[in-house]
Amino acid sequence: MSVEFYSILASVIALVFAVYLAMQVKKVGEGNDKMKEIAASIKEGAMAYLARQYKVIAIFAVLLFVVLAIFTDLPTALGFAVGAIFSALAGFIGMRISVQANVRTAESAKSGLSKALGVAFKGGAVTGMAVVGLGLLGVSGFYLIFKDPIMLIGFGFGASLISLFARVGGGIFTKAADVGADLVGKVEAGIPEDDPRNPAVIADNVGDNVGDCAGMGADLFETYAVTVIAAMLLGMGIGGNAVIYPLALGAIAIIASIVGTFFVRLKGDKIMAAMYKGTVVTAVLSAVAFYFVTKSLMGDVKLFWATIVGLVVTIVLTVITEYFTSTNFPPVKEIAKASKTGPGTNVIAGLAVGLKSTLPVVLTIVAGILAAYWLGGVYGIGIAAVAMLSTTGMVVAIDAYGPITDNAGGIAEMAGLPEETRKNTDALDAVGNTTKATTKGYAIGSAALAALALFAAYKEELAKVMGHGEEVVLAIDNVYVLVGLLLGAMLPFLFSSYAMRAVGRAAFKVVENVRKQFKEKKIMEGIDKPDYGQCVDIVTRAAQKEMILPGIIAVLSPLAVGLIFGPLALGGLLMGVIISGLLLAISMTSGGGAWDNAKKYIEDDHFGGKGSEAHKAAVVGDTVGDPYKDTAGPALNSLIKVINTIALLAAALVASNHIWG
């Protein structure tokens, strides 16, 4: 049987395992009527938002399907449609299981930390298995049908487009609700997070799901699929089994990830250690299997070492991100200490941490690129990126665990569960903040390697369509390359500006609404109940409206630069967007995560604890960090790959139809 068949089989196994885990989660009780009522409100808001978001995205998808069918070919357009559907499905599955696992985790926390961890992790693992299962199924299935990696570019574009909209729209929703809830609830009213008297509390909990489950599921589905496709495209120039080798690596890693889930078991109270145990087992099993598959398919052990490079980069990036975002290390403690003198010094310290975090991440990625290149050339870099993503099933499981435990803590607070139960949900949630941050670091690092592989594929495609078959040289002393480079470096900043402003505008409306409800109703006295639906509707409308322009920028900018200034300028654009997008994303996600945990560090009775001036300053800093780490920063991954994928699709068009260059 062929490698493609085994890849499809592994994909089906992953999806069946996801169904099994979902059934295990649903067997757990949902708690009392109050808990069920709160969970139902969160579920209703989350699913309503997702339905409206997909309706808006569907309009763009249909238009692009028609454009691709006219200007490329029908198989590419069909690939785009399937990639978009699979990406949306990955997000939907993540959302669906999250809103079912949250209340069950809260109920399980009554029985202890271990049982609650098991429920939350299984819920996250459903998303993880769905992401890798759908990703490998789509890529393997299309290659089995067409036997041409070029036909997979449309699939990657569809996945990237949905990911971009899901990240931007979900990020706007979740952070507008979070910022609005914090500014009025914590700072002005002085009430705890997830206090049921806060009119924005349900919107905040809904946001955890639409941003960190639906958005993240679509994001890492796209990262996974596009990385495998990029490596396959590079394999075309190698010959032999180089095209199918990435599929074999993906199939092996799925089985390793399934085995790894059984090793996530709590000993004592070391939640993070339990998570890392599963990840390490997955990585070790993958590495052992990679050796035998590499010898069998490629006969070149150097490529095996390229896979090891990818796994090592994953581990190092995880450690770096945890260092900059965990409450156990100096960066977060420094921000917390700076909060003692007010919001200004908190913001300065947070910005400094974010900027500094770029150094070790970039050094790690540079070392990984050089090592992989020495081992296997540009193809070696693509294989290292595939190996990085071999642990995606486990990494997504750990990431999706975060919003589940966050919601569980909110439900426990709003339902008035016993103090011991809330201690358990708080402990799970604290780890969830770190796992979400480390996953973003992982996604950014893998995006950089994947984008580099896509860039190399663009150069190869350009050499073919320009007719001379020689390597295309993109030198900075070429005026068109320089123009493209500058425009590309600017795009992530412009894109982030629109995303940040969107959060600010939506949060402003939430703040106004919450203040109005506090003023007009006797909510604080416990006489009147807040109208949660108003805030949910505000952020839903804002997210749908505000995600459109960033999406248009991502799609049209490479076409505009290529058609006006030519293919060399488009190559410069790709270089600029990769480099500045990578650095900006690292700074935003690490800095935002550090701001968030600095607030939580103070809440754990440091520097005055909850309600202190330091705490109020930290809440302000967190409102800056929130759209950094959960809206603009993560969406830059998708921006980079959308632009690179469009450039690949449009290489022939811009080579023959540009105005200048």
Side-chain angles (χ1 to χ4, degrees):
M1 287 185 286
S2 65
V3 170
E4 302 94 289
F5 176 83
Y6 283 116
S7 297
I8 291 172
L9 179 61
S11 305
V12 173
I13 291 172
L15 295 173
V16 170
F17 187 60
V19 173
Y20 165 76
L21 291 173
M23 292 172 64
Q24 292 293 305
V25 170
K26 292 184 75 171
K27 287 181 181 178
V28 179
E30 298 178 76
N32 58 41
D33 290 341
K34 181 65 175 176
M35 294 169 67
K36 292 177 183 177
E37 180 186 342
I38 295 165
S41 296
I42 296 171
K43 180 180 178 180
E44 181 183 352
M47 301 313 295
Y49 168 79
L50 200 62
R52 289 173 66 171
Q53 175 172 274
Y54 284 170
K55 285 178 182 177
V56 174
I57 296 173
I59 297 171
F60 284 88
V62 170
L63 290 174
L64 286 170
F65 174 85
V66 173
V67 170
L68 288 171
I70 293 172
F71 290 99
T72 57
D73 50 57
L74 186 58
T76 299
L78 288 173
F80 166 79
V82 175
I85 291 169
F86 275 28
S87 183
L89 186 58
F92 173 81
I93 291 171
M95 174 84 85
R96 188 76 179 179
I97 189 63
S98 178
V99 296
Q100 292 176 341
N102 53 12
V103 68
R104 291 171 168 85
T105 300
E107 174 65 13
S108 299
K110 296 177 182 178
S111 304
L113 200 57
S114 180
K115 186 176 180 181
L117 171 64
V119 175
F121 178 74
K122 284 176 183 175
V126 172
T127 307
M129 292 302 115
V131 165
V132 293
L134 288 170
L136 193 60
L137 178 64
V139 175
S140 302
F142 260 81
Y143 183 72
L144 184 64
I145 294 169
F146 294 106
K147 295 294 183 181
D148 184 359
I150 296 295
M151 294 293 101
L152 296 171
I153 298 174
F155 182 88
F157 179 38
S160 297
L161 186 73
I162 298 299
S163 168
L164 181 70
F165 280 116
R167 267 303 191 189
V168 174
I172 292 168
F173 184 110
T174 183
K175 290 305 108 180
D178 196 0
V179 169
D182 279 358
L183 285 179
V184 184
K186 286 186 176 180
V187 177
E188 295 181 10
I191 56 179
E193 187 172 358
D194 296 317
D195 191 301
R197 292 171 294 179
N198 192 330
V201 70
I202 294 294
D204 188 9
N205 280 279
V206 170
D208 293 331
N209 295 290
V210 301
D212 285 321
C213 282
M216 178 276 307
D219 183 3
L220 281 175
F221 169 87
E222 172 257 351
T223 299
Y224 183 86
V226 168
T227 302
V228 173
I229 291 168
M232 293 175 72
L233 289 169
L234 293 175
M236 292 173 65
I238 305 295
N241 292 322
V243 172
I244 60 173
Y245 177 50
L247 296 178
L249 297 180
I252 289 166
I254 281 179
I255 305 304
S257 295
I258 291 174
V259 175
T261 61
F262 292 100
F263 285 83
V264 179
R265 294 290 183 271
L266 188 64
K267 288 187 177 180
D269 59 353
K270 303 295 184 182
I271 302 171
M272 202 69 185
M275 298 286 194
Y276 282 157
K277 190 192 302 179
T279 305
V280 169
V281 168
T282 299
V284 170
L285 290 177
S286 296
V288 172
F290 286 170
Y291 175 78
F292 294 102
V293 169
T294 304
K295 284 201 72 174
S296 174
L297 287 180
M298 303 301 294
D300 185 357
V301 182
K302 284 186 177 180
L303 287 175
F304 162 71
W305 291 110
T307 68
I308 299 301
V309 168
L311 292 173
V312 170
V313 168
T314 297
I315 294 169
V316 174
L317 288 180
T318 299
V319 171
I320 291 170
T321 308
E322 184 177 357
Y323 173 78
F324 280 100
T325 59
S326 172
T327 55
N328 296 322
F329 299 104
V332 167
K333 293 179 180 179
E334 288 170 6
I335 297 173
K337 185 178 180 181
S339 305
K340 293 169 65 177
T341 50
T345 46
N346 170 283
V347 171
I348 291 169
L351 288 172
V353 166
L355 294 169
K356 186 178 180 181
S357 68
T358 59
L359 172 64
V361 174
V362 169
L363 290 178
T364 300
I365 293 173
V366 166
I369 288 172
L370 289 173
Y373 184 79
W374 290 331
L375 290 165
V378 177
Y379 181 67
I381 296 172
I383 293 303
V386 171
M388 272 193 77
L389 287 159
S390 66
T391 57
T392 294
M394 180 60 67
V395 170
V396 173
I398 292 173
D399 183 279
Y401 152 96
I404 290 172
T405 56
D406 196 346
N407 268 202
I411 292 169
E413 177 77 29
M414 286 184 277
L417 297 187
E419 185 66 27
E420 188 61 33
T421 301
R422 278 181 275 180
K423 281 184 180 179
N424 288 334
T425 57
D426 286 347
L428 294 169
D429 185 26
V431 172
N433 287 320
T434 301
T435 61
K436 286 186 286 186
T438 55
T439 302
K440 290 182 178 75
Y442 163 86
I444 292 166
S446 60
L449 294 182
L452 185 58
L454 286 170
F455 174 69
Y458 169 76
K459 286 184 64 181
E460 289 185 5
E461 184 66 15
L462 202 59
K464 294 176 186 175
V465 299
M466 291 178 72
H468 48 67
E470 299 175 1
E471 182 181 3
V472 174
V473 178
L474 298 172
I476 196 170
D477 59 356
N478 181 300
V479 66
Y480 295 106
V481 174
L482 180 59
V483 165
L485 186 65
L486 291 172
L487 291 172
M490 171 274 299
L491 275 177
F493 291 89
L494 178 66
F495 179 87
S496 299
S497 169
Y498 280 113
M500 295 283 288
R501 286 178 61 200
V503 172
R505 283 194 290 263
F508 179 80
K509 293 177 182 177
V510 173
V511 168
E512 283 191 320
N513 180 269
V514 174
R515 284 174 177 168
K516 182 180 179 182
Q517 289 200 45
F518 277 144
K519 183 177 180 181
E520 295 179 353
K521 299 180 180 181
K522 295 181 179 180
I523 295 172
M524 296 298 289
E525 294 84 352
I527 298 173
D528 296 324
K529 288 186 176 182
D531 186 344
Y532 301 123
Q534 290 183 20
C535 290
V536 172
D537 187 62
I538 287 170
V539 287
T540 297
R541 291 177 182 274
Q544 302 309 301
K545 178 183 176 183
E546 301 281 5
M547 72 178 182
I548 294 173
L549 185 56
I552 291 174
I553 290 172
V555 173
L556 294 185
S557 57
L559 294 175
V561 169
L563 291 173
I564 295 173
F565 299 112
L568 296 184
L570 181 53
L573 180 90
L574 301 185
M575 290 190 289
V577 79
I578 291 171
I579 294 170
S580 80
L582 170 66
L583 294 172
L584 190 58
I586 295 168
S587 177
M588 284 183 160
T589 54
S590 295
W595 262 313
D596 189 357
N597 275 338
K599 176 193 69 177
K600 286 179 168 55
Y601 184 75
I602 293 172
E603 290 173 348
D604 289 336
D605 294 326
H606 297 96
F607 303 118
K610 292 182 180 179
S612 65
E613 291 304 311
H615 182 236
K616 291 179 180 178
V619 170
V620 173
D622 186 34
T623 61
V624 178
D626 271 342
Y628 259 46
K629 69 181 175 66
D630 288 327
T631 307
L636 289 173
N637 298 336
S638 301
L639 174 75
I640 292 169
K641 282 169 287 183
V642 164
I643 289 177
N644 276 269
T645 307
I646 291 174
L648 257 177
L649 284 170
L653 180 65
V654 301
S656 56
N657 292 283
H658 57 276
I659 297 173
W660 298 316

